């Protein structure tokens, strides 16, 4: 998985695959995303092509971390296999998901 | 011996028997090359002969096997390359491709992390421990006896069904020890434990074999 920050670090665009080999890079990404002063932060998933159960777990833990810090985590534009996995695991009911 | 940096088809491929190729373990491109038709068996270079793959016993239309080390299964997206190799041999709808790829990835992840690396989920259940989790994996991959543990992936298909079988070298597990998907969506957020439930949701058939050291995933085609 690769990522790029936009909007003064309030949004991060993720690309590629988010899988069980991405724990360290995901942690680095969330450190920066949650390290700023933005109350609402967004992960833009439009270019994320694939996610496995480990990637889903990372998103869930990120949501928990954000809420404990008084922040709101929004997931934007999941598509394809990622959107399908969200539906399968009911993640779309747990997160604020923007189409 | 295989050539450096590229797949080498064995002498056996000139006959009607198994068409064996070797993967150099170097890159995704060389894996794709090693898995390309007419290969039926692809083995990571350097593995001892006794590790090599036998022929399937049942009568089938097509089959493909891949045997790699744990280290290579972690370093390279072998599931993607393997499913693309299946697709180059038998037509798959987009839906079926996604389900097979997702399921194979889940099973390979389980085989690598829980089977061969024997790393349990606790460190994955807290974002603050992710770097520690990553470092624990890297330390294990520095140990030859662990890094060299085998992961085997087989695909077998006919006109009606396609099966993918993933095997590891670990201790296995019991299905009763795996949490239900509904359990992972309630209470404390957990970074792990959804894999088997996802498999059962997207596969037409899931069978644990050999005490959990292998899993057979079936799909109607």
């Amino acid at each position: 998985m690769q990522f790029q920050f936009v909007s003064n670090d309030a949004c991060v665009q993720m690309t590629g695959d988010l899988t069980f080999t991405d724990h360290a890079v995901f942690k680095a990404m969330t450190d920066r995303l949650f390290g700023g002063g933005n109350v609402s932060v967004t992960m833009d998933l439009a270019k994320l092509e694939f996610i496995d159960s480990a990637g889903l777990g990372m998103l869930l833990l990120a949501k928990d971390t954000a809420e404990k810090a008084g922040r709101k985590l929004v997931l934007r534009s999941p598509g394809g296999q990622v959107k399908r996995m969200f539906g399968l695991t009911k993640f779309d009911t747990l997160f604020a998901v923007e189409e | 011996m295989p050539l450096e940096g590229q797949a080498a088809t064995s002498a056996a491929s000139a006959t009607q028997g198994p068409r064996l190729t070797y993967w150099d373990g170097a890159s995704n491109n060389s894996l794709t090359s090693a898995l390309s038709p007419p290969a039926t068996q692809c083995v990571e270079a350097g593995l001892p002969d006794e590790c090599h793959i036998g022929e399937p016993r049942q009568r089938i239309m097509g089959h493909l096997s891949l045997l790699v080390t744990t280290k290579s299964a972690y370093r390279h997206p072998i599931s993607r390359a393997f499913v693309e190799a299946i697709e180059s041999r038998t037509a798959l709808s987009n839906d079926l491709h996604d389900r097979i790829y997702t399921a194979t990835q889940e099973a390979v992840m389980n085989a690598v992390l829980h089977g061969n690396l024997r790393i349990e989920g606790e460190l994955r259940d807290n974002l603050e421990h992710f770097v520690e989790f990553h470092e624990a994996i890297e330390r294990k991959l520095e140990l030859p006896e662990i890094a060299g543990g085998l992961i085997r992936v087989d695909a077998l298909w006919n006109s009606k069904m396609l099966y993918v079988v993933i095997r590891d070298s670990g201790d296995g597990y019991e299905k009763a020890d795996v949490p239900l998907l509904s359990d992972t969506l309630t209470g404390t957020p957990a970074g792990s434990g959804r894999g088997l439930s996802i498999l059962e949701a997207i596969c037409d058939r899931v069978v644990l074999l050999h005490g959990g050291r292998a899993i057979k995933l079936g799909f109607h085609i």
Side-chain angles (χ1 to χ4, degrees), chain A residues 1-5 12-19 21-22 25-26 29 43-50, chain B residues 28 77 80:
Chain A
M1 187 266 291
Q2 299 84 42
F3 61 85
Q4 180 178 7
F5 279 87
V12 62
Q13 297 172 334
M14 300 163 65
T15 59
D17 298 351
L18 180 59
T19 73
T21 62
D22 289 316
V25 70
F26 187 85
M29 184 189 79
M43 292 183 183
D44 187 332
L45 309 180
K47 295 181 180 176
L48 191 67
E49 297 176 2
F50 181 88
Chain B
N28 304 341
R80 178 187 289 274

Side-chain angles (χ1 to χ4, degrees), chain A residues 16-68:
Chain A
D17 298 351
L18 180 59
T19 73
F20 72 104
T21 62
D22 289 316
H23 286 86
V25 70
F26 187 85
K27 177 64 166 61
M29 184 189 79
T30 52
D31 280 352
R32 180 168 166 183
L33 187 65
F34 299 146
N38 299 295
V39 175
S40 178
V41 293
T42 300
M43 292 183 183
D44 187 332
L45 309 180
K47 295 181 180 176
L48 191 67
E49 297 176 2
F50 181 88
I51 192 166
D52 63 12
S53 66
L56 293 171
M58 294 179 211
L59 294 180
L60 200 59
L61 292 172
K63 171 178 176 284
D64 185 54
T65 299
E67 289 177 348
K68 287 177 178 173

Side-chain angles (χ1 to χ4, degrees), chain B residues 121-137:
Chain B
E122 289 83 3
L123 290 177
R124 296 163 62 195
D125 291 341
N126 187 328
L127 201 61
E128 295 305 313
H129 295 160
F130 274 15
V131 172
E132 187 181 345
F133 176 71
H134 174 75
E135 290 172 349
I137 291 174

Side-chain angles (χ1 to χ4, degrees), chain B residues 111-195:
Chain B
V112 169
L113 294 184
H114 303 303
N116 290 5
L117 292 180
R118 295 176 173 82
I119 292 180
E120 298 309 319
E122 289 83 3
L123 290 177
R124 296 163 62 195
D125 291 341
N126 187 328
L127 201 61
E128 295 305 313
H129 295 160
F130 274 15
V131 172
E132 187 181 345
F133 176 71
H134 174 75
E135 290 172 349
I137 291 174
E138 293 297 328
R139 281 194 300 274
K140 290 213 169 190
L141 290 177
E142 290 300 314
L143 304 173
E145 67 275 21
I146 293 179
L150 298 178
I151 300 287
R152 175 174 167 173
V153 188
D154 292 277
L156 308 117
W157 63 90
N158 57 27
S159 60
K160 295 180 179 177
M161 288 292 293
L162 184 148
Y163 293 97
V164 179
V165 182
I166 296 91
R167 299 173 171 86
D168 62 54
S169 313
D171 297 328
Y173 64 97
E174 297 293 332
K175 186 176 177 181
D177 297 334
V178 180
L180 299 172
L181 184 61
S182 56
D183 293 339
T184 66
L185 296 176
T186 59
T188 303
S192 59
R194 297 175 187 82

Side-chain angles (χ1 to χ4, degrees), chain B residues 173-221:
Chain B
Y173 64 97
E174 297 293 332
K175 186 176 177 181
D177 297 334
V178 180
L180 299 172
L181 184 61
S182 56
D183 293 339
T184 66
L185 296 176
T186 59
T188 303
S192 59
R194 297 175 187 82
L196 187 57
S197 295
I198 288 174
L199 291 180
E200 292 183 329
I202 62 177
C203 300
D204 296 309
R205 190 172 180 210
V206 178
V207 183
L208 286 180
L209 303 169
H210 309 302
R213 290 188 297 278
I215 190 165
K216 184 176 184 178
L217 313 170
F219 305 88
H220 295 297
I221 59 175

